[in-house]
């Protein structure tokens, strides 16, 4: 097998999966490095005068005597325009990232990256799973994949929200006979208390359930939960999730944290007319097209006329994919282009199939949110549903099948009939820590003013101080999308201050 991989690194992608990095010595003295398609094992690159250095985190560069540089302000501006898109260049000077699903050949002072994996072959009509067979196939792939990931660990701690995705992870672990404990977080008000659902799942899978209450007073706006990473992007409530995991790990023997993060993405949770367009252009039957139209009305909670208008607009090519978000940023700094994506799959997206393209776009949009916690402070964090076999199987399911019956993620729900309680399988939404976020913002308005109106992002012309001040003064900011936008900017400021102080890579150690 080693000879086969050396001759063709793609064989590794085709025959194996998991969080890995393969280093291959070539006969000509060059070195090839393969990173698995899931990107579950981070791999950053630093180029010195004499070496290329590869590491899984910034702290390792520092431990090797070559600490990472300061903030790369142009890249940080790019990042804040589209936080959900991971880019090849990070926000730290001199640090880039190897793309997942690729091979990079290092030869002297040169390096060349070649893609080995792409989502598009799995979305072709020839690869598509029959609707009747899809649920059973998906259940088998999820159960075997999650069980394989868990086989590397003594005991697993599962972040259980009570929603569908984390519940599926629990069901798969139980089906594999693994020892695991669940942890659920709750807000003090009912809007973010998922404990009844979490208890229902824990009882069904026979797992112990730990509970943790968010404490907004322990969340510090001047501290970034992304301090150990080369890009900012953490929400303030992540600090409380970190504290909950730390307490749970201190009380038990778990050596891994499993999450259902990315479930909406991998299970094709779309909110548009795109699945209907795909059904039409794939020449599906009129009955199926009409069914999909009704289903998407139910999924999006919109009326038939509104959805029909959206459908016609998309068929005529008038639908627009959301672009960069300039809100709260300095318009004078905007450029005509943004640095290249880490995995530029959308360059090859089928223009006439917005549902398929939307599914892949969802997969790309989760990349910046799965890297996990500080590897020096926490054990492995595993977004189990993003395992390569699960992703590839989900891509083989048509977009119009994911909304069958007028409910989102319908194939995944059908797959776990009998393994999860019916109230969990029928849930279409779940509560979150919105009240905690609003409370932190309300209590921290003055601190946010100091952070953002007298901080590094203003000094380096990243933010628009007038727009920031307007949002901070607006009483309505405690609700809605702008609340999260201002907190993203605040996290970037806190991250930049830590990196500027040269201590970012040692936070949490």
């Amino acid at each position: 097998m080693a000879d086969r991989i050396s001759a063709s690194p793609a064989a590794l992608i085709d025959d194996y999966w998991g969080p890995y990095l393969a280093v291959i010595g070539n006969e000509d003295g060059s070195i090839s490095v393969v990173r698995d398609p899931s990107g579950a094992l981070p791999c950053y690159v630093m180029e010195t005068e004499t070496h290329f250095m590869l590491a899984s985190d910034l702290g390792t560069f520092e431990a090797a005597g070559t600490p990472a540089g300061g903030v790369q302000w142009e890249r940080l501006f790019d990042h804040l325009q589209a936080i959900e898109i991971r880019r090849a260049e990070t926000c730290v000077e001199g640090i880039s990232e190897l793309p997942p699903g690729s091979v990079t050949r290092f030869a002297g002072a040169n390096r060349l990256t070649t893609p080995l994996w792409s989502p598009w072959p799995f979305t072709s009509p020839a690869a598509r799973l029959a609707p009747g067979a899809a649920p059973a196939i998906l259940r088998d792939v999820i159960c075997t994949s999650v069980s394989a990931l868990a086989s590397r660990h003594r005991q697993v701690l599962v972040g259980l929200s009570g929603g569908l995705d984390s519940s599926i992870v629990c069901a798969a672990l139980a089906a594999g006979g693994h020892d695991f404990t669940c942890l659920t977080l709750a807000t003090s008000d009912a809007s973010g208390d998922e404990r009844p659902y979490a208890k229902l799942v824990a009882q069904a899978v026979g797992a112990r359930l730990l509970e943790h209450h968010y404490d907004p007073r322990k969340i510090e706006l001047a501290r970034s939960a992304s301090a150990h990473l080369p890009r900012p992007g953490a929400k303030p409530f992540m600090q409380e999730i970190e504290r909950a995991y730390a307490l749970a790990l201190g009380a038990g023997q778990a050596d891994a944290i499993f999450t259902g993060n990315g479930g909406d993405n991998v299970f094709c949770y779309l909110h548009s007319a795109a699945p209907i367009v795909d059904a039409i252009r794939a020449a599906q039957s009129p009955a199926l097209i009409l069914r999909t139209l009704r289903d998407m009305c139910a999924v999006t909670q919109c009326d038939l006329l509104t959805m029909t208008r959206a459908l016609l607009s998309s068929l005529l090519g008038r639908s627009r994919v959301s672009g960069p978000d300039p809100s709260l940023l300095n318009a004078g700094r905007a450029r005509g282009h943004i640095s290249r994506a880490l995995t530029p799959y959308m360059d090859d997206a089928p223009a006439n199939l917005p549902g398929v393209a939307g599914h892949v776009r969802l997969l790309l949009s989760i990349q910046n949110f799965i890297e996990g916690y500080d590897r020096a402070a926490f054990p492995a964090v595993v977004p189990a549903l993003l395992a390569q076999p699960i992703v590839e199987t989900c891509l083989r399911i048509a977009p119009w099948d994911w909304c069958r019956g007028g409910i989102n993620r319908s194939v995944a729900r059908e797959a776990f009939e009998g393994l999860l309680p019916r109230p969990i399988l029928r849930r279409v939404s779940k509560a979150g820590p919105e009240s905690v976020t609003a409370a932190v913002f309300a209590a921290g308005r003055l601190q946010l003013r100091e952070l953002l109106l007298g901080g590094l992002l203003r000094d380096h012309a990243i933010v628009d101080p007038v727009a920031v001040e307007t949002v901070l003064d607006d009483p309505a900011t405690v609700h809605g999308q702008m609340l999260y936008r201002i907190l993203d900017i605040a996290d970037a400021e806190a991250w930049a201050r830590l990196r500027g102080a040269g201590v970012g890579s040692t936070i949490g150690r």
Side-chain angles (χ1 to χ4, degrees):
M1 192 63 205
D3 291 340
R4 184 176 171 219
I5 292 172
S6 296
S8 175
L12 187 57
I13 301 280
D14 295 338
D15 295 347
Y16 294 89
W17 67 272
Y20 67 80
L21 195 76
V23 182
I24 303 167
N26 301 312
E27 291 182 357
D28 61 2
S30 64
I31 295 174
S32 295
V33 179
V34 181
R35 188 178 177 201
D36 92 271
S38 76
L41 182 63
C43 185
Y44 298 106
V45 184
M46 176 190 292
E47 184 175 355
T48 72
E49 291 184 359
T50 57
H51 290 77
F52 287 106
M53 302 184 68
L54 278 60
S56 56
D57 53 65
L58 300 183
T60 302
F61 288 123
E62 183 176 317
T66 54
V71 179
Q72 222 296 20
W73 296 104
E74 287 293 336
R75 298 291 81 77
L76 180 58
F77 185 79
D78 284 354
H79 174 72
L80 290 175
Q81 290 185 83
I83 291 177
E84 73 282 1
I85 300 300
R86 201 168 182 88
R87 306 200 176 277
E89 295 182 68
T90 74
C91 300
V92 175
E93 290 181 346
I95 303 293
S96 58
E97 182 174 358
L98 289 191
S102 68
V103 57
T104 301
R105 193 178 188 92
F106 295 89
N110 302 311
R111 60 170 161 163
L112 175 66
T113 296
T114 304
L116 297 178
W117 185 91
S118 167
W120 304 118
F122 302 97
T123 67
S124 69
R128 187 171 298 145
L129 294 178
I137 293 173
L138 181 61
R139 180 178 62 248
D140 180 64
V141 169
I142 290 176
C143 287
T144 54
S145 298
V146 172
S147 184
L149 289 169
S151 68
R152 305 170 58 225
H153 304 286
R154 296 186 307 275
Q155 188 180 71
V156 170
L157 177 65
V158 181
L160 175 60
S161 67
L164 177 68
D165 306 324
S166 58
S167 299
I168 284 177
V169 173
C170 290
L173 286 169
H178 296 281
D179 186 16
F180 65 100
T181 300
C182 301
L183 170 66
T184 193
L185 282 81
T187 60
S188 57
D189 63 293
S191 69
D193 189 350
E194 294 282 287
R195 287 177 297 171
Y197 292 103
K199 289 176 182 177
L200 199 60
V201 174
Q203 290 170 358
V205 299
R208 179 187 177 203
L209 178 65
L210 305 177
E211 299 177 6
H212 178 89
H213 285 269
Y214 286 99
D215 186 348
R217 298 169 299 178
K218 294 186 181 297
I219 296 175
E220 305 171 44
L221 290 171
R223 181 171 77 85
S224 172
S226 307
H228 61 290
L229 299 174
R231 307 174 181 89
K235 308 298 182 187
F237 63 79
M238 290 299 299
Q239 295 179 32
E240 270 297 274
I241 295 178
E242 282 189 352
R243 190 168 73 89
Y245 279 139
L247 290 171
L249 291 166
Q253 301 298 317
D255 61 343
I257 299 170
F258 276 42
T259 76
N261 290 353
D264 286 354
N265 309 68
V266 75
F267 296 147
C268 195
Y269 192 176
L270 294 172
H271 290 80
S272 70
I276 316 168
V277 175
D278 280 27
I280 292 172
R281 290 180 172 160
Q284 296 298 304
S285 69
L288 185 145
I289 293 168
L290 288 173
R291 186 219 82 199
T292 306
L293 176 61
R294 291 192 298 269
D295 288 344
M296 287 310 298
C297 286
V299 168
T300 59
Q301 295 293 293
C302 80
D303 58 74
L304 185 61
L305 180 59
T306 301
M307 183 57 70
T308 302
R309 287 173 176 166
L311 171 61
L312 293 175
S313 179
S314 185
L315 286 171
L316 294 172
R318 295 173 184 165
S319 297
R320 296 180 62 185
V321 176
S322 58
D325 180 3
S327 60
L328 305 186
L329 300 181
N330 181 2
R333 192 181 186 120
R335 299 174 297 154
H337 68 281
I338 300 179
S339 56
R340 72 186 188 281
L342 178 64
T343 48
Y345 299 140
M346 299 313 297
D347 292 350
D348 300 318
N352 65 330
L353 296 175
V356 166
H359 193 180
V360 173
R361 193 176 290 109
L362 282 174
L363 293 171
L364 292 177
S365 70
I366 196 64
Q367 286 183 338
N368 271 340
F369 306 102
I370 61 170
E371 190 159 358
Y373 307 101
D374 190 344
R375 296 164 66 88
F378 291 92
V381 178
V382 182
L385 296 178
L386 296 175
Q388 183 181 339
I390 299 175
V391 170
E392 291 175 350
T393 300
C394 289
L395 287 169
R396 297 178 62 199
I397 298 172
W400 55 83
D401 285 332
W402 284 110
C403 62
R404 185 182 292 272
I407 190 168
N408 60 64
R409 299 166 287 175
S410 61
V411 181
R413 297 174 193 276
E414 187 177 348
F416 282 84
E417 287 279 1
L419 297 181
L420 286 172
R422 188 162 183 79
I424 300 298
L425 293 173
R426 300 307 297 174
R427 293 194 73 189
V428 295
S429 64
K430 64 181 177 65
E434 285 80 6
S435 62
V436 171
T437 303
V440 169
F441 174 79
R445 281 184 192 261
L446 290 177
Q447 186 179 14
L448 287 169
R449 182 178 293 274
E450 183 278 326
L451 272 173
L452 298 179
L453 299 182
L456 293 173
L457 298 190
R458 178 173 183 169
D459 291 346
H460 289 271
I462 300 293
V463 298
D464 177 349
V466 174
V468 168
E469 188 169 22
T470 299
V471 169
L472 289 173
D473 291 341
D474 186 353
T477 302
V478 292
H479 304 290
Q481 196 59 39
M482 196 53 69
L483 168 63
Y484 293 94
R485 180 59 169 169
I486 194 77
L487 291 175
D488 282 340
I489 301 292
D491 181 74
E493 174 67 34
W495 176 89
R497 291 189 183 194
L498 287 168
R499 290 244 49 91
V503 297
S505 61
T506 58
I507 295 297
R509 291 171 186 270

